[in-house]
């Protein structure tokens, strides 16, 4: 049986919470005051749907989406931070047949998600820089131990050990 090709909608839905975590943590509190991470997530979805044909291997869809999210937040930080307000004259409606709205929205769900993300952010801030970095790179951005080792100048085994300690420490901070 030939497997069905992965659609952008399915790939996005499979990685939604991961992408929201990447966006939330990378935005930081100053930008989150001005923009909702859900809005940024929707912009990432639009960009992913528009450029889906550039994805070369379906098994890399998650990492590809994380890269889009990281780049989107970096552009926003560069372009928007420090600007008094968005210029509504530059905004325009997007014409699409794709269902971009999250069906799991509402005031209670949104408040719960924001509360959980705020707790995670607070706990992450209490971690050491190395612990925070290894968790973000491996668990949120989905990099391999080898890639993280290259970035952090550590061996793969050292990265795995660091991740184990970091996750244990994060669980303690979250009181799990």
């Amino acid at each position: 049986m030939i497997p069905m090709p992965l659609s952008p909608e399915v790939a996005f839905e499979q990685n939604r919470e991961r992408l929201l975590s990447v966006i939330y943590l990378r935005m930081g509190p100053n930008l989150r005051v001005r923009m909702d991470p859900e809005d940024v997530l929707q912009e990432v979805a639009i960009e992913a749907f528009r450029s889906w044909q550039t994805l070369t291997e379906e098994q890399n869809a998650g990492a590809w989406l994380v890269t889009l999210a990281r780049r989107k937040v970096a552009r926003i930080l560069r372009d928007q931070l420090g600007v008094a307000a968005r210029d509504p004259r530059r905004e325009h409606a997007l014409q699409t047949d794709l269902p971009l709205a999250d069906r799991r929205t509402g005031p209670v769900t949104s408040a719960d998600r924001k509360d959980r993300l705020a707790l995670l952010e607070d706990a992450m801030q209490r971690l050491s820089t190395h612990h925070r970095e290894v968790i973000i790179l491996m668990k949120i951005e989905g990099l391999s131990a080898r890639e993280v080792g290259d970035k952090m100048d550590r061996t793969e085994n050292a990265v795995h050990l660091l991740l184990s300690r970091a996750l244990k420490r994060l669980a303690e901070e979250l009181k799990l």
Side-chain angles (χ1 to χ4, degrees):
M1 183 153 111
I2 299 172
M4 294 292 295
L6 184 66
S7 71
E9 295 87 351
V10 170
F12 186 79
E13 195 58 36
Q14 288 173 347
N15 291 281
R16 187 181 192 292
E17 291 301 318
R18 178 179 172 194
L19 293 170
L20 188 58
S21 296
V22 167
I23 291 166
Y24 186 91
L25 292 171
R26 291 209 171 253
M27 282 178 76
N30 293 338
L31 185 55
R32 283 196 309 271
V33 168
R34 298 187 51 218
M35 296 182 83
D36 188 342
E38 292 277 349
D39 292 339
V40 178
L41 181 67
Q42 188 162 358
E43 290 179 29
V44 171
I46 292 167
E47 189 173 333
F49 294 143
R50 284 182 177 163
S51 59
W52 183 253
Q53 71 281 359
T54 65
L55 178 65
T56 56
E57 296 181 26
E58 288 182 1
Q59 67 266 22
N60 295 336
W64 181 76
L65 287 167
V66 166
T67 299
L68 289 180
R70 288 173 58 203
R71 288 179 181 165
K72 183 64 177 174
V73 172
R75 282 192 304 270
I76 290 169
L77 285 169
R78 182 190 69 226
D79 297 342
Q80 298 289 328
L81 203 56
V83 176
R86 292 169 115 178
D87 184 354
R89 295 170 296 188
R90 294 182 56 203
E91 296 182 7
H92 59 280
L94 173 69
Q95 299 298 320
T96 180
D97 295 327
L98 299 171
L100 299 179
D102 180 16
R103 290 177 287 283
R104 298 171 297 180
T105 59
V108 174
T109 303
S110 180
D112 180 56
R113 181 179 290 128
K114 286 180 182 177
D115 288 346
R116 286 184 291 128
L117 287 171
L119 288 173
L120 175 61
E121 181 185 32
D122 291 343
M124 291 286 287
Q125 290 303 317
R126 290 189 298 269
L127 298 179
S128 71
T129 303
H130 294 298
H131 283 174
R132 190 170 43 249
E133 183 178 13
V134 74
I135 290 172
I136 289 173
L137 291 174
M138 289 193 73
K139 293 299 183 182
I140 296 175
E141 295 184 10
L143 297 181
S144 70
R146 176 176 288 167
E147 293 168 318
V148 173
D150 290 344
K151 286 182 179 277
M152 296 181 74
D153 197 30
R154 295 174 183 255
T155 66
E156 284 184 63
N157 288 339
V159 168
H160 285 294
L161 185 59
L162 180 64
L163 178 64
S164 174
R165 290 177 179 159
L167 291 174
K168 182 178 178 189
R169 183 74 182 106
L170 180 60
E172 291 169 0
E173 288 294 334
L174 291 170
K175 295 168 182 56
L176 297 178

